[in-house]
Amino acid sequence: MNKKVEKALNKQIELEHFSSQLYLAMASWAEKKGYNGSANFLYAHSEEERGHMLKLFHYINDRGGHAIVPKVDQPVLDYKSIQDVFKEIYEHEKMISKEINNLVGLCYDERDFTTQSFLQWYVTEQIEEENLFSNILDKLNLLGGDKAKMYMFDSEMEKLLSAQQEAEG
Ligand code: OFO
């Protein structure tokens, strides 16, 4: 496979792996703080990111490249509030979207239309994720940080996770 594209896809593996670790750290923080609904949601999301990483592994190897297990920096372990967690996630996902777009651009420049078409799945996924986290943030901002309301918010996160799992079958 095209070497420049292979290198860039391996870079994306690093990012997806880091996302998985980041959400795992956030899940652990939320669990410790008693936000069990958010914690479950974040544990599941961490798994999802691992799935995004594995999809890249298989694609690279199937196309004759070599998928590389990345070195990973430890993510931030402590957060000021649950709002802080979701704000960070939203910013993180916007950064990921930018990286996916750069990857698609590189494939176009290198005339690697097979990988470009493979990456469409990630483009769509990023639209969904940005929407999801922007909606969660809007909800949090509306609630305004009141403790009782945060408890309500947390049960909503549990329901959101169940709805997602049902939709995925
Ligand atoms: Fe959070 O999404 Fe991966 O790509």
Side-chain angles (χ1 to χ4, degrees):
M1 88 183 290
N2 178 303
K3 284 293 157 199
K4 268 195 203 165
V5 172
E6 180 181 346
K7 195 169 168 206
L9 289 177
N10 269 311
K11 180 88 193 15
Q12 190 61 33
I13 282 183
E14 283 178 25
L15 286 174
E16 301 294 344
H17 191 35
F18 183 76
S19 301
S20 178
Q21 298 288 93
L22 178 66
Y23 298 153
L24 191 59
M26 288 169 164
S28 178
W29 178 88
E31 194 168 38
K32 294 291 287 174
K33 295 285 172 188
Y35 291 117
N36 292 339
S38 303
N40 289 340
F41 176 88
L42 290 163
Y43 279 123
H45 209 76
S46 169
E47 277 301 309
E48 241 184 66
E49 297 295 349
R50 184 175 155 76
H52 298 173
M53 179 191 73
L54 286 175
K55 209 176 170 72
L56 285 158
F57 260 75
H58 298 311
Y59 179 78
I60 295 172
N61 287 338
D62 286 349
R63 301 284 304 159
H66 185 190
I68 307 293
V69 175
K71 272 197 208 136
V72 188
D73 296 333
Q74 190 175 46
V76 172
L77 303 176
D78 216 4
Y79 295 88
K80 285 197 291 272
S81 61
I82 197 74
Q83 287 93 329
D84 190 27
V85 166
F86 284 101
K87 218 163 94 196
E88 286 293 320
I89 296 181
Y90 185 48
E91 292 307 317
H92 181 78
E93 289 299 339
K94 283 197 289 186
M95 179 277 283
I96 298 286
S97 299
K98 219 183 259 175
E99 293 298 326
I100 296 284
N101 286 340
N102 289 340
L103 252 177
V104 172
L106 173 72
C107 292
Y108 185 80
D109 293 344
E110 294 293 314
R111 304 189 62 77
D112 182 348
F113 301 118
T114 311
T115 305
Q116 193 179 32
S117 138
F118 162 77
L119 287 171
Q120 281 312 306
W121 183 89
Y122 288 85
V123 172
T124 309
E125 177 69 14
Q126 282 313 117
I127 296 171
E128 281 171 17
E129 293 214 339
E130 278 194 38
N131 276 344
L132 170 70
F133 290 112
S134 152
N135 287 341
I136 292 175
L137 256 189
D138 285 349
K139 195 172 275 179
L140 273 169
N141 287 338
L142 269 175
L143 292 172
D146 174 273
K147 281 242 159 77
K149 287 181 181 158
M150 284 305 103
Y151 181 76
M152 266 167 46
F153 166 80
D154 196 54
S155 336
E156 295 268 323
M157 292 306 292
E158 192 73 67
K159 282 185 213 146
L160 182 59
L161 174 62
S162 310
Q164 279 184 339
Q165 285 169 339
E166 234 167 73
E168 282 159 17

